[in-house]
Amino acid sequence: MASYLQGPAVASTDSLVAAMSPSPEITASIAAEAAAPQAETVRLIDLRNGATCKVNASMDEDGPQRLPIGPACAKSPDLARVAYWETKDDGSLVMTDHKGETVLEFMPGDGVLFESVYPNNALITIVAARS
């Protein structure tokens, strides 16, 4: 019984978010809440060094989208590597480099739109931008 609570073994090719997500058997009986509309303009904040910038891009479109990172966010070593972002079916947000390699992975946050979960030493949040 205890091994079932730990969930199935996760292959190394699965994302961290997929590994942390509960199985459909557990969540199928829970009605999904309507998703909140995603902001078109968001602010990326690297809490380690204070780098912050606004980006204008839609999180609602399918597939990877170009993410224009400005010079203010280039001060963040993680954000400086980002070229694209994509919202996944599980609600996560993945940012990749020019080669398609995952740089950052985010989950919806409490009080913020998204907070970083990968890599574990990244402390980056995404909030709705105020004009």
Side-chain angles (χ1 to χ4, degrees):
M1 182 71 164
S3 64
Y4 176 74
L5 295 175
Q6 293 176 358
V10 178
S12 61
T13 58
D14 289 344
S15 73
L16 175 62
V17 173
M20 295 179 357
S21 299
S23 68
E25 294 85 19
I26 295 171
T27 60
S29 63
I30 302 171
E33 295 180 22
Q38 298 295 328
E40 291 291 320
T41 303
V42 296
R43 180 171 295 281
L44 308 175
I45 305 167
D46 187 330
L47 300 171
R48 291 177 300 173
N49 64 13
T52 179
C53 61
K54 286 183 187 179
V55 295
N56 295 310
S58 174
M59 290 187 228
D60 296 331
E61 295 180 25
D62 291 335
Q65 296 175 52
R66 184 90 173 111
L67 185 64
I69 295 291
C73 273
K75 295 176 189 173
S76 166
D78 292 321
L79 293 173
R81 295 177 42 216
V82 172
Y84 300 93
W85 69 358
E86 180 178 8
T87 304
K88 300 294 187 173
D89 292 336
D90 63 2
S92 65
L93 178 70
V94 176
M95 293 184 178
T96 59
D97 62 15
H98 290 286
K99 297 177 186 176
E101 298 290 324
T102 299
V103 175
L104 296 161
E105 203 166 335
F106 297 83
M107 286 296 291
D110 187 20
V112 297
L113 294 175
F114 291 94
E115 52 193 343
S116 59
V117 294
Y118 173 84
N120 63 0
N121 64 343
L123 294 172
I124 298 174
T125 61
I126 301 174
V127 298
R130 297 184 183 137
S131 357

